Amino acid sequence: MQAGEKIKYRLAESIKGLMETTPLDKITVKEIVSQAHTTRQTFYRNFKDKYDLVNWYFDKLAQKSFKQMGVSYTLREGLIKKFNFIKAERGFFSEAFRSDDYNSLFAYDYECILEFYTEIIKKKTGGPLEEEIAFLLRMYCRGSIYMTVEWATGGMKLAPEEIAGLLVEALPPRLGELLSDLRPQAEA
């Protein structure tokens, strides 16, 4: 791992530790860099703000986990993997999802899943999204991320398999046809 990556992970570990006792919106960059034994200049050389740091860390974790959706998973399998991943990092996610900043994890995750599903549908249909499909997809992604946040911040009472099953069941039928199997068309 290169020095730049190491400092980013050090800052991520710092904010994760702070999030165990302090709401994300109340954590300052000064506290993050102090805990990470670095400077504000180093922080701002790597991130726009603390939410950018949280989103970067989310992305790094996601690469290890549910970004395999579309490579080898059905939607249900991918969602189960995503919820197991979130549960394994419970402290981080339950606090990160509580923020409603414009650059919050809620907004970032929404954009990520919308882009991900859009690309899957484009590959399967061979063209741009129809207006009605785009509307259904935006609505489903908003609802899906809202329910993910509710689950993550509400104690994760449902098992990952249960929440994944409910999200698959909530798919509008037209989206269900396009997203039930996330693998590229040639592999499906």
Side-chain angles (χ1 to χ4, degrees):
M1 186 182 313
Q2 293 188 351
E5 282 286 290
K6 284 182 183 177
I7 190 64
K8 288 179 178 182
Y9 275 105
R10 203 163 77 205
L11 290 164
E13 288 302 317
S14 172
I15 199 167
K16 272 180 60 178
L18 291 164
M19 286 167 65
E20 290 175 12
T21 58
T22 309
L24 176 59
D25 291 338
K26 298 208 182 287
I27 295 172
T28 65
V29 170
K30 183 178 179 180
E31 292 169 320
I32 297 167
V33 298
S34 175
Q35 180 115 350
H37 305 290
T38 190
T39 65
R40 289 173 65 85
Q41 292 82 359
T42 299
F43 180 90
Y44 286 113
R45 192 170 31 251
N46 290 283
F47 301 104
K48 295 186 295 193
D49 56 26
K50 62 187 173 187
Y51 305 103
D52 191 35
L53 167 58
V54 167
N55 293 339
W56 174 85
Y57 187 62
F58 169 77
D59 232 23
K60 288 299 178 182
L61 293 174
Q63 286 172 14
K64 295 178 189 175
S65 182
F66 57 86
K67 287 216 172 166
Q68 288 299 305
M69 288 168 64
V71 177
S72 59
Y73 298 129
T74 64
L75 177 59
R76 188 178 194 302
E77 291 166 338
L79 287 171
I80 290 170
K81 191 160 181 77
K82 177 180 180 175
F83 289 113
N84 278 320
F85 156 76
I86 290 171
K87 195 167 188 171
E89 290 279 342
R90 172 181 290 219
F92 171 76
F93 282 105
S94 65
E95 186 52 44
F97 276 131
R98 290 182 199 285
S99 174
D100 60 1
D101 186 79
Y102 75 96
N103 194 22
S104 69
L105 185 55
F106 178 99
Y108 184 74
D109 193 15
Y110 167 75
E111 292 300 328
C112 287
I113 63 173
L114 179 63
E115 179 182 335
F116 174 76
Y117 290 145
T118 298
E119 290 307 310
I120 293 285
I121 293 170
K122 282 180 176 178
K123 284 179 184 168
K124 286 193 172 191
T125 62
L129 269 60
E130 298 172 24
E131 200 172 310
E132 295 83 10
I133 293 293
F135 174 86
L136 291 172
L137 185 59
R138 287 191 313 274
M139 184 187 73
Y140 177 74
C141 289
R142 287 258 181 230
S144 174
I145 190 62
Y146 180 84
M147 297 315 294
T148 299
V149 169
E150 187 177 277
W151 177 78
T153 60
M156 301 181 187
K157 293 176 181 100
L158 295 174
E161 296 78 10
E162 292 173 297
I163 185 81
L166 290 169
L167 288 179
V168 169
E169 196 175 322
L171 267 170
R174 288 181 65 193
L175 282 183
E177 292 170 19
L178 294 166
L179 296 176
S180 61
D181 187 348
L182 298 178
R183 292 172 288 196
Q185 205 61 20
E187 297 175 21

